[in-house]
Every structure is written in structure tokens, then in C-alpha cells.
Amino acid sequence: MILDSINIENLRSINKFNMTFKPGINLIYGENGRGKTSILEAIYILSISRSFRSHFLRNIITDGKSNIQIVGKIKDSSNQYLKIEYYKLNNQKRIKINEKKINNLSELLGIFPVTVLSPDDIDIITGNNKDKHKFFNMILCHTNKLYLNYLQQYKLIIKQRNSLLQSQPTLEDIQIWNEKLSDLGEKIWKIRKDFFSNFTSIFTKLWNQLDCKFKANIEYHNNQILSKNEYYEQLCSNHLNDLKTGYTKKGPHKDIINLFFNNMPIKECGSQGEKKLFLIVLKISEAIYINNIMNKEPIILLDDLFAMLDKNRGSKILKLLTNNFQIFITTTDANAETYFSKMTQLNFIKLEECNDICFAA
Ligand SMILES: Nc1ncnc2c1ncn2[C@@H]1O[C@H](COP(=O)(O)OP(=O)(O)O)[C@@H](O)[C@H]1O
Ligand SMILES: [Mg+2]
């Protein structure tokens, strides 16, 4: 998919912004605070109606304004145009696809897939197991509506079971939750097993293209996957333990996902640059995975791509960006344009020279 043009009003410091983009790489250069990340945020909002850096959308509306508007003109793989409009007025959200108002967010998901790398994503590498779950669950939820449904039910039951555990129930009281959990657990594990085998092979293939002297790999152990009956047995036999802590200690929510670099956990031994490299390869793998499953090339947003990468690593990464994706890279490096070979289809956008951008006073 290709974002052909965008129109933004009242997003953070941007009062008005109109821009036409090109297929291939769009490199957005500007000093700190020029609104580079805000432009990527706007593109992301068109995809899932949420920002990637603020939980509350009220924080992204320009101070003192009450409405926000983002309109994107998108070209799909069969060259058909698609218009997505996002409006927020006095806390009321309105989304239109090709002039038709949508009533449910699920109607938007998958229409215009976007993969984003933001500086906060380093948590996937340096954070705990929960951060890794969040990343992989998000990919699965966006590409598999059944998984989204199972996971939502599973999380709800875990919550209900945990609150029941805190009232010291007997094994009989909790049996019904064990049955429901084991049924959903089996379904979630089945989908995860296929997903990780697929995703890790994409990741390894990409990593090998980097010609890096160290190996990198994602480990999801299949031996933590249980059948419905095995999981049910475990929940019952772990009853006393769960009562003691008030939490459900077994299940897909406890799956261990390890990220290894040079056969050691990257979190413990990777340098900042190595961690960033690993993260970028994860994100490009995400885009390839989405493309394979949904048959739509997601747009890739790489915020502050070159930060913490030396020139050598930066140029290695650029080698991976030759796929058919439209890519938006932001940078504060005025020389970034020179990192790209003349072969690369590059659209260089200098925010400070751009007449179309108008900043809020
Ligand atoms: N709600 C808001 N209203 C007005 N300005 C904001 C708001 N939120 C953030 N800003 C400002 O917007 C500017 C642009 O931010 P950003 O897009 O992160 O720039 P860049 O990525 O180019 O460094 C920053 O100076 C920030 O302080
Ligand atoms: Mg920024």
C-alpha cells in the first residue's frame, strides 16, 4: 500500500500540514521539535485510530484546540484509491472510509496496515517477558481476528479466576474456570506455535542478510505448549499454589519468549547499537509477516532510525529496506540523505524548508 497524501490539522504543534509522498523511502529531516514524529503519529492513527506514543488522544490535540483532523489518500496494490478520514471534535471520534462512517473500530483494523518503530519500542528488547508478549500479541491480534477473540476471552477469565482465588475458593468452586481456561489455552497455543515458527524463520532470513558476525535468534519453546487436558490437569494440581499467591501461575500468559544475541540474552549482553539492530530486524520481520498473511504491504514508519546506530550498522539496515514497502524514516541528521545509494528511490523531505507546514503559535 502507498500513502499518497496526508492532510493534518491541529496535531500537537502542527496547525496545518499537507504533503504528497512517494513510493519507496520518504526521508523526513528536521531539527528536534519540528513535528517529524507527529507526522508518523498521524499516519499510525489512520491505521488503528490510536497513537503509538500517547495513551490519551486528548494529549495529541494542539493545546487550546478542540478538534483534530487527519485525512489520508491511499493507493492499494491494485491501484485503487482509498480515503481514510479521522476526526475528533470535543472528545467525539469519527472515522470514515471512502466517505462512509464506520461504527466499530474492528472495521478499520487491517484496512491500512502500518508497522512502526518508535524509540519506546526498545522495551521489547530491554523490558520483561510481558513487553515481548505485548509485541507478539499485537501482531497476532492484527492479523488473526480469531486469536484476538480467544485472547480477549482468556484475559477476562484469568482476571475473574484471580479475583476468585483471592476469596479462598475450593477446587470445586474454581473448576468451571479451569475448564474454560484450558479450552482457550489450547487454542491460543496452537496459533502461537504456527506463528512463532513462521515469524522466526522470517527473522533469521533477514538477520542473515546483514552479514553480522554474531547470530541472533528468537526462542519460543514448544515444550511449554500443552493440550487442553494437560493444561486442565496442571491448573488443578497447582490449585494450592495459586491460592497462596492469588494468581494463576500456569498458562499462555506465562509463556517464555527469549531473544538471543551471540547465544546470550540480548537484554543482558547487547550493546545499545546491537539492541537497536535486533529491534529493527524484528520490526521489518513484522512487516513481512503482515504482508505474507494479509497480502497487503504495510507501510513502515521508522522514527529516529539512525539514532544509536553507527554508519556501518545504519547502512546494513538500509540493505534490508529494499522490499516493496513504502517507508517513512525520520532523522535529525542533516547528512542522512548521503547514507542512501543513488539506486534507492528516495523522497527527501526537509521540514524547515517546507512551505506546506504551518506550526501552531
Ligand atoms: N498537545 C500539544 N499541543 C501543542 N504542542 C505539542 C503538543 N504535544 C507536543 N507538542 C509539541 O510538539 C512539538 C513536535 O513534537 P515532535 O513531533 O515530537 O517533533 P520531532 O519528532 O520533530 O522532534 C514538540 O515541540 C512538542 O513539545
Ligand atoms: Mg521525534
Side-chain angles (χ1 to χ4, degrees), residues 248-342:
T248 308
K249 285 282 177 57
K250 304 263 175 202
H253 63 298
K254 290 285 170 190
D255 279 357
I256 306 277
I257 305 162
N258 287 318
L259 306 177
F260 283 111
F261 179 76
N262 193 19
N263 297 323
M264 288 181 282
I266 181 136
K267 180 181 171 177
E268 316 287 337
C269 68
S271 70
Q272 280 198 329
E274 287 158 350
K275 286 174 183 162
K276 177 106 188 234
L277 196 64
F278 198 112
L279 179 63
I280 296 167
V281 179
L282 273 181
K283 291 285 176 172
I284 302 171
S285 306
E286 174 188 337
I288 295 174
Y289 178 83
I290 292 174
N291 188 21
N292 290 351
I293 299 291
M294 300 176 76
N295 210 12
K296 276 183 186 177
E297 309 95 9
I299 283 174
I300 304 181
L301 311 176
L302 302 170
D303 194 17
D304 230 342
L305 175 69
F306 301 109
M308 289 189 306
L309 289 181
D310 56 33
K311 211 169 171 188
N312 175 36
R313 288 211 182 90
S315 64
K316 277 186 171 173
I317 281 299
L318 294 180
K319 274 204 235 158
L320 303 184
L321 302 181
T322 52
N323 287 294
N324 293 332
F325 300 109
Q326 187 188 28
I327 299 166
F328 292 81
I329 298 173
T330 67
T331 183
T332 48
D333 181 349
N335 293 319
E337 202 182 2
T338 61
Y339 300 167
F340 295 83
S341 73
K342 288 202 172 60

Side-chain angles (χ1 to χ4, degrees), residues 11-14 30-39 41 53 58-63 303 330 332 351 360:
L11 183 114
R12 299 195 188 270
S13 63
I14 297 174
E31 286 167 5
N32 288 329
R34 294 303 290 180
K36 302 178 294 300
T37 306
S38 306
I39 295 168
E41 246 180 324
R53 65 168 166 174
R58 63 170 178 270
N59 293 337
I60 69 165
I61 299 187
T62 307
D63 261 352
D303 194 17
T330 67
T332 48
L351 280 188

Side-chain angles (χ1 to χ4, degrees), residues 53-111:
R53 65 168 166 174
S54 287
H55 190 61
F56 299 108
L57 278 169
R58 63 170 178 270
N59 293 337
I60 69 165
I61 299 187
T62 307
D63 261 352
K65 300 281 180 174
S66 57
N67 70 307
I68 187 166
Q69 172 184 313
I70 307 166
V71 180
K73 204 169 137 206
I74 296 144
K75 203 156 77 177
D76 70 15
S77 39
S78 48
N79 280 338
Q80 296 289 317
Y81 276 101
L82 177 75
K83 187 165 139 192
I84 302 181
E85 294 166 78
Y86 173 94
Y87 300 98
K88 196 161 186 256
L89 178 62
N90 297 328
N91 269 335
Q92 287 265 320
K93 224 195 252 185
R94 193 149 48 97
I95 298 162
K96 287 206 246 171
I97 303 175
N98 284 343
E99 310 293 344
K100 193 170 163 272
K101 184 171 173 273
I102 64 160
N103 299 314
N104 203 320
L105 176 61
S106 67
E107 293 174 60
L108 179 67
L109 288 187
I111 298 276

